[in-house]
Amino acid sequence: MDGDQQRDEWRATLAQQVITDCLGQWLRSANEAAVAAVGSEHAAESARRALQASERLTRWREHGDLGGDTAARIADAVVQRMKDDERGVRAAEKADDSFPSFDSSYRAAATCQWLRDQGYEIPVYPEEPGM
């Protein structure tokens, strides 16, 4: 395996982990919202969103399929994380330490490019760094 192939494999692995982490965070947030909504008028909607988040993560893990607008939402999320990191703003959520040696701008670029390579229609963000 040459250096380019190895680099491409690392980028693909990074992008797939970022996607899994993002979907996992959405599921955790949806589950927390569903628990908080128990007994309220929003309980059914919160439970439906938690089920959707679970199905998205399962579909990704089992089939590598993001479906619908999920790829675009993930790209938006990783670019937003990069912008927040640049401004020094931290989300209330737990930091993702899956790939601590990569900064958020590299993770955003690798993830967006991998999604494009897989055929998802992901725009080129003005803030997106080059590879």
Side-chain angles (χ1 to χ4, degrees), residues 8-126:
D8 290 345
E9 280 190 26
W10 276 93
R11 286 180 182 167
T13 299
L14 173 63
Q16 292 165 11
Q17 183 62 47
V18 168
I19 292 165
T20 301
D21 291 346
C22 188
L23 292 170
Q25 182 57 48
W26 290 350
L27 175 57
R28 284 186 295 280
S29 295
N31 282 339
E32 289 171 5
V35 168
V38 169
S40 76
E41 63 187 63
H42 305 290
E45 177 64 17
S46 293
R48 184 186 66 75
R49 287 185 181 176
L51 180 60
Q52 283 179 333
S54 176
E55 289 169 349
R56 280 187 191 113
L57 181 58
T58 300
R59 184 174 53 238
W60 166 247
R61 283 183 173 160
E62 292 179 1
H63 306 290
D65 177 31
L66 293 171
D69 67 341
T70 304
R73 290 180 59 216
I74 288 170
D76 288 344
V78 296
V79 169
Q80 184 61 50
R81 170 84 182 260
M82 177 191 71
K83 290 193 289 188
D84 290 348
D85 285 351
E86 287 173 355
R87 289 189 306 243
V89 176
R90 281 285 172 190
E93 301 158 351
K94 182 179 160 188
D96 170 22
D97 294 328
S98 300
F99 288 89
S101 60
F102 296 108
D103 67 8
S104 60
S105 61
Y106 185 84
R107 291 162 31 132
T111 303
C112 290
Q113 187 57 53
W114 186 85
L115 288 168
R116 288 184 200 108
D117 292 347
Q118 301 309 304
Y120 293 102
E121 294 183 24
I122 304 299
V124 175
Y125 296 86

